[in-house]
Amino acid sequence: SVPADLKVYVDKSKLMQVFVNLVQNSVDALKEKGSGDEKPLISIRGAATDKGVRVWVRDNGNGIPPENLGKVFDPFFTTKDVGEGMGLGLSICYRMVREQGGDISVKSELGKFTEFLLDLPAQERLETA
């Protein structure tokens, strides 16, 4: 859950694009996981931090192999089949979050989960000349 009183100073439409992409990737990961005892789950949490706001987007899909974790934000990197994705979504997310003064990172455990962490500014940035 995300507390209603959390505020971030970012471009609303860009942040929505980031969330849509992350949630769609989670949906895709959960489709690939197939059936099992564990119900598919996507969770979004948010909390204030010393530097702003942290948001977690987590799914209990198959996870990302360790050798791919460092590549997920690279343009054109994808593990999807041809025609299912161009590998641009996460690189665009990375760029948009960074342009807004934030940061995005990923943690994953193969077969268990993938979690994206967004650190977003909670104050307006002052433009310096």
Side-chain angles (χ1 to χ4, degrees), residues 7-107:
K7 290 186 173 45
V8 293
Y9 288 88
V10 296
D11 182 299
K12 181 176 156 180
S13 64
K14 288 183 180 180
L15 186 60
M16 286 302 299
Q17 284 182 280
V18 169
F19 283 122
V20 166
N21 187 274
L22 293 177
V23 170
Q24 184 60 57
N25 283 353
S26 289
V27 168
D28 293 344
L30 292 169
K31 284 180 191 173
E32 291 175 12
K33 186 168 186 166
S35 61
D37 292 339
E38 193 175 31
K39 290 186 177 186
L41 178 67
I42 299 171
S43 63
I44 300 174
R45 295 184 302 123
T49 66
D50 291 344
K51 296 180 180 179
V53 172
R54 175 167 278 183
V55 179
W56 296 262
V57 179
R58 182 181 177 113
D59 67 63
N60 63 346
N62 282 334
I64 300 169
E67 64 270 16
N68 290 344
L69 274 176
K71 303 174 193 173
V72 297
F73 296 115
D74 292 350
F76 303 107
F77 177 77
T78 184
T79 58
K80 294 180 181 179
D81 292 334
V82 173
E84 290 187 21
M86 295 181 60
L88 291 173
L90 289 175
S91 67
I92 291 170
C93 288
Y94 180 85
R95 181 179 47 82
M96 286 195 289
V97 169
R98 298 290 294 188
E99 284 174 353
Q100 301 300 307
D103 197 18
I104 183 171
S105 60
V106 63
K107 297 190 313 187

Side-chain angles (χ1 to χ4, degrees), residues 98-127:
R98 298 290 294 188
E99 284 174 353
Q100 301 300 307
D103 197 18
I104 183 171
S105 60
V106 63
K107 297 190 313 187
S108 187
E109 188 174 332
L110 199 56
K112 303 239 182 213
F113 74 91
T114 297
E115 180 175 74
F116 286 89
L117 297 95
L118 288 86
D119 288 301
L120 303 168
Q123 300 181 37
E124 289 185 83
R125 292 188 309 169
L126 297 176
E127 297 297 325

